[in-house]
C-alpha cells in the first residue's frame, strides 16, 4: 500500500498508526549508518547539479575555467547541506518538539501524534548528521577550505514572522505551518538530485536516502495537519493557509547571499557581475504543486500573502 493511499483512506488515528508501522521498516535511522567508504569517489563527476545554480546560464559562468566551475559545484553541495541543516534544526525540529511536548487537536490521536513526531525528530537528527558528514566528505576529497554561512534568508524570514506573532499559540501554529510546507515540498527538491545520474555517486546516494525518509514525512505532516486543522477556528485556518505558500516562496529563494559568500571565498572572477545579474532571475518554481495538493486535502485554499 502506498503512503498516499494510507493518508487518503482512514481516520487520522489509524493513518498515524500505519505510518508509524511503516517507519519501522523504511526509516534510514533503523538501517544503520551510511557507509561513505563503500561508495567510490569519482573526481571527474560534479558534486552538485548545475541545473540548480541560479546563474547557470550567465555568460561569465559559461565561460569560466572548468576547475573553478567544479569548485563552485562542490561548494554548492556544501551550501545545500548547510541549508538542509538549518531546515532540519530550525524549521522541522521545533514543530516536532511542540507536538511531542503538548499534542493538540481534537479526537483520540494524541498518543499516535506524539509517536510519529518522535520518529520524525529522530529522522531529522540523522539527516542533520548525514548532511554534515556528506559535506565534509566532499571538502576532504577535493581538499577545499570550508565556507561558513549563517544568514540564510529562510532563517531570517522565519525569525521575523515569529516575532510578529501576538501569542504563543500563534507562534506554535506558525512553526507547524512552516514545517508542513517544508516537509511537503522537500521531496521535490531532493528528487532533482537523487535522480541525477551525472552527479557524484555519494551525493546522489545521500539525497536518495534522505528522500526515502521525507516521502514518509510528507504523509506524517499531512495527516498531522488534518488532525490539527479540525480544531482550528476559521481565522486560524486562514492564517495557516497564508503561511504555507509564503514558506514555499522562501524555500524557492535563490539565497544569493550564500552564493556571493562562496564566489568570494574562491575569488571567482567577475563574481560581482554574476551576483548582480542573478538577482534579476526569478525564483525556482518547482514546489507549488505538492503544497497545493496539501492545502486541497485539508480543504483550504492558498490565501493571498500576508507580509510581516
Ligand atoms: Fe529531513
Ligand atoms: Fe523531514
Amino acid at each position: 500500500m502506498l503512503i498516499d493511499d494510507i493518508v487518503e483512506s482512514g481516520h487520522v488515528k489509524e493513518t498515524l498508526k500505519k505510518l508509524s508501522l511503516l517507519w519501522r521498516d523504511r526509516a534510514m535511522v533503523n538501517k544503520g549508518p551510511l557507509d561513505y567508504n563503500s561508495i567510490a569517489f569519482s573526481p571527474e563527476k560534479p558534486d552538485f547539479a548545475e541545473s540548480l545554480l541560479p546563474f547557470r546560464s550567465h555568460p561569465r559562468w559559461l565561460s569560466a575555467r572548468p576547475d573553478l566551475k567544479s569548485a563552485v559545484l562542490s561548494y554548492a553541495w556544501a551550501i545545500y547541506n548547510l541549508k538542509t541543516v538549518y531546515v532540519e534544526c530550525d524549521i522541522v525540529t521545533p514543530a516536532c518538539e511542540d507536538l511531542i511536548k503538548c499534542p493538540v487537536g481534537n479526537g483520540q490521536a494524541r498518543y499516535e501524534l506524539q509517536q510519529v513526531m518522535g520518529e520524525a525528530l529522530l529522522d531529522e537528527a540523522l539527516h542533520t548528521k548525514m548532511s554534515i558528514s556528506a559535506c565534509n566528505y566532499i571538502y576532504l576529497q577535493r581538499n577545499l577550505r570550508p565556507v561558513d554561512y549563517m544568514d540564510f534568508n529562510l532563517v531570517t524570514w522565519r525569525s521575523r514572522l515569529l516575532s510578529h506573532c501576538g501569542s504563543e499559540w500563534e507562534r506554535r501554529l506558525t512553526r507547524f505551518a512552516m514545517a508542513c510546507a517544508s516537509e511537503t515540498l522537500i521531496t521535490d527538491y531532493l528528487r532533482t538530485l537523487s535522480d541525477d545520474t551525472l552527479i557524484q555517486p555519494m551525493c546522489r546516494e545521500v539525497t536518495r536516502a534522505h528522500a526515502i525518509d521525507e516521502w514518509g514525512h510528507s504523509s506524517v505532516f499531512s495527516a498531522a495537519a488534518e488532525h490539527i486543522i479540525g480544531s482550528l477556528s476559521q481565522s486560524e485556518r486562514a492564517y495557516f493557509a497564508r503561511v504555507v505558500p509564503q514558506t514555499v516562496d522562501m524555500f524557492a529563494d535563490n539565497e544569493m547571499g550564500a552564493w556571493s559568500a562562496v564566489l568570494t571565498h574562491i575569488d571567482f572572477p567577475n563574481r560581482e557581475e554574476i551576483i548582480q545579474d542573478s538577482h534579476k532571475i526569478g525564483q525556482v518554481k518547482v514546489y507549488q504543486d505538492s503544497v497545493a495538493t496539501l492545502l486541497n486535502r485539508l480543504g483550504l485554499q492558498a490565501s493571498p500573502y500576508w507580509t510581516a
Side-chain angles (χ1 to χ4, degrees):
M1 195 177 199
L2 294 173
I3 291 174
D4 274 356
D5 294 336
I6 291 174
V7 175
E8 290 290 352
S9 62
H11 183 266
V12 168
K13 177 178 171 137
E14 292 309 310
T15 301
L16 293 176
K17 269 188 183 172
K18 286 174 185 169
L19 289 170
S20 187
L21 275 176
L22 276 181
W23 177 84
R24 292 188 201 176
D25 292 333
R26 294 193 184 175
M28 298 310 295
V29 75
N30 295 329
K31 294 184 176 172
L34 256 183
D35 180 9
Y36 292 91
N37 294 322
S38 68
I39 307 168
F41 182 72
S42 305
E44 76 287 357
K45 289 200 166 183
D47 299 327
F48 197 73
E50 189 174 348
S51 63
L52 292 175
L53 300 186
F55 43 82
R56 61 191 172 277
S57 54
H58 195 284
R60 296 292 193 187
W61 166 257
L62 294 172
S63 62
R65 278 182 7 227
D67 61 317
L68 280 175
K69 290 169 88 170
S70 170
V72 168
L73 289 168
S74 300
Y75 280 110
W77 173 247
I79 289 291
Y80 158 79
N81 278 290
L82 203 49
K83 187 174 175 182
T84 300
V85 168
Y86 276 94
V87 171
E88 306 292 24
C89 296
D90 291 28
I91 306 279
V92 188
T93 295
C96 292
E97 288 179 347
D98 281 344
L99 291 170
I100 290 167
K101 290 171 185 165
C102 184
V104 292
N106 297 325
Q108 304 293 317
R110 174 188 180 91
Y111 302 136
E112 289 75 16
L113 188 61
Q114 280 179 314
Q115 175 83 8
V116 294
M117 285 299 150
E119 291 160 358
L121 191 60
L122 265 177
D123 294 341
E124 304 304 16
L126 176 68
H127 301 160
T128 300
K129 179 177 174 290
M130 276 164 49
S131 294
I132 293 303
S133 301
C135 179
N136 291 340
Y137 172 90
I138 291 297
Y139 278 147
L140 290 169
Q141 290 287 351
R142 301 281 188 193
N143 197 23
L144 293 172
R145 199 161 46 93
V147 65
D148 294 318
Y149 188 76
M150 298 172 69
D151 298 326
F152 288 102
N153 290 334
L154 180 66
V155 177
T156 312
W157 172 79
R158 175 188 183 273
S159 302
R160 197 170 62 236
L161 190 58
L162 287 171
S163 75
H164 281 76
C165 292
S167 65
E168 184 50 32
W169 165 240
E170 196 176 333
R171 275 188 285 278
R172 276 180 62 116
L173 184 56
T174 305
R175 288 193 288 265
F176 181 65
M178 285 190 288
C180 277
S182 157
E183 294 300 272
T184 306
L185 57 84
I186 197 165
T187 45
D188 288 348
Y189 192 70
L190 290 169
R191 195 177 299 134
T192 308
L193 288 174
S194 61
D195 288 353
D196 191 337
T197 55
L198 299 176
I199 65 166
Q200 190 63 241
M202 192 281 297
C203 301
R204 195 173 73 239
E205 188 55 33
V206 168
T207 47
R208 192 192 64 81
H210 193 173
I212 288 172
D213 282 346
E214 295 304 340
W215 286 325
H217 288 189
S218 65
S219 300
V220 163
F221 273 79
S222 183
E226 202 180 320
H227 173 70
I228 288 167
I229 287 292
S231 68
L232 298 182
S233 68
Q234 207 58 40
S235 64
E236 286 167 340
R237 288 180 192 205
Y239 178 73
F240 180 92
R242 282 198 299 273
V243 174
V244 167
Q246 269 191 303
T247 310
V248 175
D249 256 15
M250 285 313 300
F251 263 88
D253 186 278
N254 286 326
E255 298 284 359
M256 291 314 299
W259 290 113
S260 178
V262 162
L263 297 181
T264 302
H265 189 67
I266 60 171
D267 204 17
F268 198 91
N270 304 301
R271 55 185 175 275
E272 293 86 0
E273 189 184 332
I274 291 174
I275 295 297
Q276 200 172 4
D277 292 346
S278 298
H279 275 299
K280 298 175 197 160
I281 297 173
Q283 296 173 327
V284 183
K285 293 289 181 191
V286 295
Y287 303 126
Q288 305 291 349
D289 290 352
S290 49
V291 170
T293 305
L294 169 73
L295 292 175
N296 277 340
R297 179 176 282 163
L298 298 173
L300 301 173
Q301 283 191 329
S303 306
Y305 291 175
W306 169 83
T307 44

